Amino acid sequence: TGALTIDSAASINVGGTHAVATSINTSTLDVNSSGALTMDSEASITVGGTHAVPTTVSSSTLQMNSSSTYDVNATGAMTLDSQDSVTIGGSYQVPTTVSSSTLQLNSTSTMDVNATGALTVDSAASITVGGTHAVPTAVTTTTLDVNSTVVNINSTAFTLNASDNVKLDSASAVIVGGT
């Protein structure tokens, strides 16, 4: 009914010679180590296997390395936060796929998209720039190629500046100031 204390100046082994099943049933399990704490298994390591319970990991640095697939699943929301930065594909530049019914990117400051190859934006429905808020939009390019069956420009003022020729071609007619 009292405390069970096991002490050793060298080491304490449980199942040292023979690897056998060991069960620990306790109301609270507290493991403290003044050195490294290592958990190894030749099969698998499961946390919260039988009962899905809240699990908290508090760490100065948390590093997870996987020799194969790393899979994170949640039936509820999944949140990834940082007070500094979040990096995806930091050390290794690999293809990254995000599959989503809706993808929303919000930035309280500048959003910068860089690509060493082509930057392609596709949509089966529509592509809108400045949809909710009408803000100044600048396109700086060496060549701007717009291929469309219909181009509509609706503006209270429209300015087109060119340091060389402005060329408008049409298979039927180019109409300026008319219908």
Side-chain angles (χ1 to χ4, degrees):
T1 61
L4 172 63
T5 303
I6 302 173
D7 287 317
S8 172
S11 64
I12 298 172
N13 294 320
V14 176
T17 305
H18 302 286
V20 295
T22 304
S23 178
I24 300 173
N25 294 312
T26 179
S27 63
T28 304
L29 178 61
D30 186 10
V31 178
N32 297 306
S33 174
S34 60
L37 174 62
T38 304
M39 293 190 323
D40 291 317
S41 173
E42 293 181 7
S44 65
I45 297 174
T46 302
V47 177
T50 305
H51 303 287
V53 295
T55 303
T56 302
V57 177
S58 297
S59 172
S60 62
T61 302
L62 178 62
Q63 182 173 348
M64 295 184 175
N65 297 314
S66 174
S67 61
S68 183
T69 302
Y70 183 70
D71 191 10
V72 177
N73 296 307
T75 57
M78 188 176 101
T79 303
L80 181 62
D81 291 321
S82 173
Q83 291 181 347
D84 187 9
S85 64
V86 175
T87 302
I88 298 173
S91 297
Y92 301 100
Q93 303 300 313
V94 296
T96 303
T97 302
V98 176
S99 297
S100 173
S101 60
T102 302
L103 176 62
Q104 184 173 351
L105 301 175
N106 296 317
S107 175
T108 58
S109 184
T110 302
M111 181 178 291
D112 189 8
V113 178
N114 297 308
T116 57
L119 177 62
T120 304
V121 179
D122 293 315
S123 173
S126 65
I127 298 172
T128 303
V129 177
T132 305
H133 304 286
V135 296
T137 304
V139 177
T140 304
T141 180
T142 57
T143 304
L144 177 61
D145 188 7
V146 178
N147 296 311
S148 176
T149 54
V150 177
V151 176
N152 289 322
I153 299 174
N154 298 312
S155 176
T156 55
F158 178 73
T159 304
L160 179 62
N161 295 315
S163 60
D164 204 342
N165 296 329
V166 175
K167 183 178 179 182
L168 299 173
D169 288 328
S170 173
S172 60
V174 175
I175 301 170
V176 178
T179 55

